[in-house]
């Protein structure tokens, strides 16, 4: 279970890069550490569960600490809430069903007792997707930690059946015993779960090679308030609309995924990351686009991750003397102006890997860049899950961090990036502070790319001032995304924070259709968590 | 417009292979030509339109021939109906909207006048998907021939906006002007339309290289009875369930697709088909599976099409002396027992093509087979759209033809093929006739394959006896597919013929969800064509 106000469970210590505080002090000013309310005080102030004395349909915990740890996710407002001790609503019980039948029993009980059930995987939502709903109805979190493990492997069909509560490491460890890999590695990989990936349409860092969760989720079983929905793992079907794509992105509103059938692969021989530098953003985007839209395909190319000059400059600064040496080398190679770091994942057998490396080198050179090798890439691989851990450390130094992300077609990407970065910086400036903004393209497709922007800014003088700054940033970024042709989210989902924007994106007809789906699966609003659609009974 | 009782519009003459009648006479007995009712008699017997004298919301045709030509599709029962003159319900008008606004006007009018609208692309449904609904309500066919043409090309993003009424050749001709290709080539390619492909989740013969229509349909606009639904062409999105996948396979029940944004590619340098022979079915399946699940990907491999020994034997027999020579050669190469023809599509630049050819050769040799080259492949390419034309000629000789198709995971494929072939043969035998049955795998995936079985059988002594034989075949094949783990359809869709089986496959929760979607988009049942779901008001 994660630690209070932290990313992760404490099993891994991830310190802040040593040069980051000084860098931020220069960029956005010296932070003022906020006053955090101690956990003990929060526990002491937690109201008694409304389910105390109720006979539980499945075993559940009522103790305040367990309930508090399931009250919020990992969004910026969640961090503010938890750290400031103003947690908001806290669930009344935490159930840990150990089988599909227990999920079913919990949903039936909730329908009969007018309770709300919040499905919980790793609790890593950064968009308010696991926040406890407000309202009069009792709330039970269904923590799916008990539904884990690789249950069945069909090697001939490259399919594995996995419990929806399996975390990334648990899933991959189970598959590795069979010489297989799923390859889905979002930044939350260590803590997020198979069910959470499906529910939020997540995307792994190597989605170019392994596919998004849509490509990996072949089928499975969803326990819904009106009964189970079984999705057979057909390789393809023309038998009407594909209900997998209703479950994917349903964010717990249609039911609880209990088991997934996943498309797996043999473990690759090679899994490298090659670092390259392009002389500027335009050249970088052109190189990445050429590789992603290569008419001969992208087999063996598992990732293309291109940082803006600003984000690249941060990587130099954090590396100290090594970074300065690298910058000097790039200047000698006439790449010193505004270099952009490109990390290319090379995954497959040795022959394919050689071919892909050559292809990357050709594309980078054609766009006046240079390949610098795999040393930097290995460093990225070692630290690929680290940055979420930094947020709590930065908070303690008086800095807020949030990420905004989207995807758009290639023709819209350059203007979108410019608009998004400018809008975020201006929004924070309007609250009287400076933001450091950096962006990368990390998930590329033949027809477009994701855009991922990170903003660091000083916390406000009060909890409310901090939230106000974040709200300004968030609303400016969503407006920029919408006007520049991006989707509300490429990989984080909708939750509560993107709800209004998602309604705009889907339009009235699309929103009504989603509402009809929710009503069909959940007529009594048992899963009225507030995710995805506005106006559920409980929020 | 197609000719009465025929596949195609008469612009291309496709005679029956000269040796086919003798072959069939030997295999299933000599056919007895049926009595066909002349078109003039059918026209004369057609009831007057119930919309005669009604002021049309958009221009429409009321003449009996036009209405008759829009009364049925191209399923086997459709052919029986049309040829026997017992056409069943005939639409009351044929509208040809020239713009989205006219589609909208027609839908509004229909809602206000309690009429049913049947969206019509190429009218090539083989599962009853465009059959005129029965009932008291007037029926207007919306023939989308007027919504054609490539409207916009975004080269940077590899996207093209195409009118939903564009046929395959119209779509590709428009793209070719820009040096681009869609690459979606179902057997109906010459006559089916972009909108029809989306509505039925169609799959092109080269789906391995170009993707299914799900992969190609990036977005577009659907005019629904409750208003337009716009699907932006994002490369990917985590903003909730993907409504593209509700429109894909919706078979006209949610609205009328008026415009599609399609993912296109540069025209390939090479587009060859390499013919190979494997010594038997098991070796063939293993070779195809190894190629499809190659961990280094399938880039450049656009098709794998493997015929059973029986289907392969037919290809030898139809080729006469050349076929005998080929069989002799295969015997000398120790492939004479029960050889299986494998056609491998090789599509891309010259370098990729060379590599893919080598990979195919290696896989085929590892499974004791031989590559025979591209001459046979070119013959297949020339005749790739021919066989639907044969059906009317065979009908006139007293033979019925139907195809059944599905998809399943690899571990289920061998037993499914055996079960399906046996069930079809036994079902026809139970009606006192013999069927010739052949199968191929034509759309392969990492996790499974499609299965496509063709049955030829003598017509019955009467229209009803013929239909009875077909019903026996159809119901036996659907039962075999369900019990052996296949989907109701891989590429033909649901229409009316697969409706009951689709309800079983989706299950009660899934079926209710689809019903809720239909009600959300079409509360008045304007599009109550009878497709997809049972029990619409009009049927």
């Amino acid at each position: 279970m994660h630690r209070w106000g932290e990313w992760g469970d404490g099993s891994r210590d991830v310190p802040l890069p040593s040069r980051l505080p000084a860098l931020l002090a220069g960029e956005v000013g010296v932070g003022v550490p906020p006053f955090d309310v101690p956990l003990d005080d929060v526990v002491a102030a937690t109201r008694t569960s409304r389910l105390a004395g109720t006979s539980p349909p499945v075993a559940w915990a009522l103790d305040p600490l367990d309930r508090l740890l399931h009250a919020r996710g990992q969004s910026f407002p969640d961090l503010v809430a938890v750290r400031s001790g103003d947690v908001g609503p806290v669930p009344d019980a935490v159930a840990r069903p150990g089988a599909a039948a227990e999920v079913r029993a919990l949903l039936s009980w909730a329908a009969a007792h007018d309770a709300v059930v919040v499905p919980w995987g790793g609790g890593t939502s950064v968009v308010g997707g696991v926040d406890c709903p407000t309202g009069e109805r009792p709330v039970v979190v269904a923590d799916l930690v008990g539904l884990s493990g690789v249950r069945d492997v069909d090697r001939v069909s490259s399919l594995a059946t996995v419990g929806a509560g399996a975390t990334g490491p648990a899933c991959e460890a189970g598959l590795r015993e069979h010489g297989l890999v799923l390859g889905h590695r979002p930044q939350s990989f260590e803590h997020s779960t198979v069910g959470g990936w499906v529910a939020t349409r997540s995307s792994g860092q190597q989605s170019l090679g392994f596919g998004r969760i849509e490509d990996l989720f072949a089928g499975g079983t969803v326990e819904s308030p009106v009964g189970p929905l079984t999705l057979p793992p057909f390789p393809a079907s023309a038998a009407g609309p594909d209900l997998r794509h209703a479950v994917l992105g349903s964010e717990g509103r249609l039911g609880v995924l209990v088991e997934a059938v996943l498309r797996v692969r043999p473990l690759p021989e090679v899994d490298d990351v090659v670092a390259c530098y392009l002389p500027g953003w335009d050249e970088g985007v052109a190189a990445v686009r050429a590789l992603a839209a290569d008419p001969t395909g992208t087999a063996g190319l598992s990732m293309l991750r291109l940082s803006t000059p600003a984000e690249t400059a941060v990587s130099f600064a954090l590396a100290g003397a090594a970074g300065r040496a690298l910058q000097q080398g790039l200047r000698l190679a006439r790449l010193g102006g505004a270099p952009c770091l490109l990390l290319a994942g090379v995954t497959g057998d040795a022959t394919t890997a050689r071919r892909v490396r050559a292809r990357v080198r050709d594309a980078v050179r054609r766009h006046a860049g240079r390949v610098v090798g795999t040393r930097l890439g290995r460093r990225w691989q070692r630290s690929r899950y680290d940055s979420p851990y930094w947020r709590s450390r930065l908070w303690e130094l008086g800095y807020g961090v949030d990420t905004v992300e989207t995807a758009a077609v290639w023709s819209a990407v350059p203007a979108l990036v410019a608009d998004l970065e400018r809008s975020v910086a201006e929004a924070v400036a309007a609250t009287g502070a400076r933001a450091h903004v950096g962006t990368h393209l990390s998930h590329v497709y033949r027809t477009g790319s994701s855009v991922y922007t990170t903003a660091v800014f000083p916390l406000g003088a009060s909890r409310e001032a901090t939230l106000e700054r974040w709200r300004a940033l968030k609303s400016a970024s969503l407006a920029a995304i919408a006007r520049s042709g991006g989707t509300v989210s490429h990989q984080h989902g909708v939750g509560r924070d993107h709800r209004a924007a998602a309604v705009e994106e889907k339009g009235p007809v699309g929103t009504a259709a989603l509402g009809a789906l929710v009503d069909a699966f959940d007529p009594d609003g048992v899963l009225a968590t507030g995710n995805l659609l506005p106006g559920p009974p409980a929020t």
Side-chain angles (χ1 to χ4, degrees), chain A:
Chain A
M1 198 148 49
H2 71 281
R3 284 189 304 168
W4 183 246
E6 301 280 344
W7 180 264
D9 55 10
S11 63
R12 198 161 78 83
D13 185 36
V14 182
L16 213 53
S18 58
R19 294 175 186 86
L20 188 54
L23 176 78
L24 286 174
E27 290 275 340
V28 306
V30 177
V32 178
F35 173 72
D36 287 357
V37 174
L39 175 55
D40 286 349
D41 294 1
V42 182
V43 170
T46 299
R47 70 175 183 196
T48 305
S49 167
R50 289 169 290 192
L51 294 170
T54 301
S55 168
V58 303
W60 64 29
L62 302 182
D63 73 277
L65 179 57
D66 208 351
R67 288 161 48 215
L68 277 172
L69 285 168
H70 289 85
R72 309 285 302 221
Q74 295 282 347
S75 71
F76 186 76
D78 289 340
L79 184 68
V80 175
V82 165
R83 290 278 177 160
S84 68
D86 193 357
V87 183
V90 174
D92 297 282
V94 178
R96 292 183 174 84
E102 291 191 1
V103 173
R104 213 176 304 155
L106 179 60
L107 294 174
S108 297
W109 173 88
H113 292 79
D114 199 26
V116 178
V117 173
V118 178
W120 183 281
T124 57
S125 172
V126 291
V127 292
V130 292
D131 291 358
C132 183
T134 56
E136 295 307 308
R137 300 164 67 195
V139 175
V140 182
V141 168
D143 185 329
L144 303 172
V145 64
L147 299 171
S148 189
V150 172
R151 293 165 185 189
D152 186 49
V153 170
D154 174 356
R155 293 191 69 87
V156 173
S157 311
S158 301
L159 292 169
T161 305
V162 182
T167 61
C171 177
E172 291 292 9
L175 292 173
R176 204 176 304 117
E177 289 176 21
H178 300 270
L180 298 170
V181 67
L182 178 65
H184 188 76
R185 294 181 172 252
Q187 200 170 43
S188 61
F189 174 78
E190 298 167 290
H191 311 294
S192 57
T193 61
V194 169
W197 301 339
V198 171
T200 60
R201 286 190 169 262
S202 124
S203 189
Q205 290 164 339
Q206 286 165 287
S207 68
L208 184 58
F210 291 96
R212 287 168 63 83
I213 198 68
E214 295 95 293
D215 307 308
L216 301 172
F217 175 61
T221 304
V222 176
E223 291 293 340
S224 88
V226 293
L229 173 72
T230 302
L231 300 164
F234 302 131
S237 171
D242 188 350
L243 292 170
R244 277 185 318 127
H245 282 275
V247 171
L248 284 155
S250 60
E251 303 200 358
R253 292 302 303 269
L254 304 184
V256 179
L257 183 73
V258 291
E259 184 170 275
V261 184
L262 301 171
R263 294 176 179 141
V264 295
R265 296 161 195 265
L267 281 162
E269 281 177 47
V270 176
D271 191 24
D272 282 348
V273 173
V274 178
C276 320
Y277 286 93
L278 281 300
W281 182 241
D282 293 348
E283 292 87 343
V285 172
V288 165
R289 184 169 72 77
L291 281 164
D294 189 329
T296 64
T298 55
L301 190 60
S302 61
M303 179 178 84
L304 288 169
R305 183 184 175 97
L306 178 75
S307 293
T308 54
E311 197 173 272
T312 304
V314 170
S315 71
F316 292 137
L318 294 184
R324 284 192 298 276
L326 186 52
Q327 278 180 295
Q328 196 165 29
L330 291 173
R331 270 193 297 270
L332 290 172
R334 301 191 181 180
L335 289 166
C340 292
L341 173 63
L342 167 62
L343 295 170
V346 176
T347 306
D349 65 324
T351 312
T352 303
R354 263 194 304 278
R355 193 175 64 241
V356 170
R357 270 204 200 89
R359 186 173 285 183
V360 169
R361 193 183 54 232
D362 290 352
V364 167
R365 284 189 186 161
R366 261 201 311 279
H367 294 88
R370 288 288 179 93
V371 173
V372 300
T374 52
R375 202 178 51 87
L376 257 179
R378 274 195 297 275
R379 187 186 303 164
W380 179 85
Q381 286 176 303
R382 277 194 304 271
S383 62
R384 63 195 291 183
Y385 311 125
D386 283 5
S387 61
Y389 291 89
W390 301 349
R391 207 173 48 173
S392 298
R393 301 294 77 74
L394 287 171
W395 170 273
E396 287 153 8
L397 297 175
Y399 299 106
V401 191
D402 204 16
T403 57
V404 296
E405 46 87 46
T406 179
V409 301
W410 280 116
S411 57
V413 165
L416 169 55
V417 170
D419 188 5
L420 184 55
E421 291 201 331
R422 190 179 50 241
S423 301
V424 166
E426 287 176 1
V428 173
T431 67
R434 270 181 294 160
H436 179 79
V437 181
T439 296
H440 55 258
L441 312 184
S442 44
H443 300 262
V444 298
Y445 303 86
R446 226 154 47 72
T447 60
S449 174
S450 77
V451 171
Y452 194 93
T453 295
T454 304
V456 188
F457 50 89
L459 299 180
S462 66
R463 177 183 164 284
E464 195 39 51
T466 295
L467 276 177
E468 204 42 64
R469 185 161 292 161
W470 175 81
R471 278 189 210 108
L473 181 165
K474 191 75 189 172
S475 98
S477 65
L478 286 170
I481 285 168
R483 96 183 140 241
S484 291
T487 177
V488 161
S489 172
H490 170 268
Q491 67 208 61
H492 286 167
V494 175
R496 297 212 200 144
D497 298 349
H498 293 163
R499 211 163 49 178
V503 165
E504 281 299 308
E505 178 172 312
K506 298 290 188 192
V509 172
T511 302
L514 291 183
L517 269 181
V518 168
D519 290 344
F521 279 90
D522 184 24
D524 301 320
V526 167
L527 299 161
T529 55
N531 290 340
L532 208 57
L533 290 171
T539 57

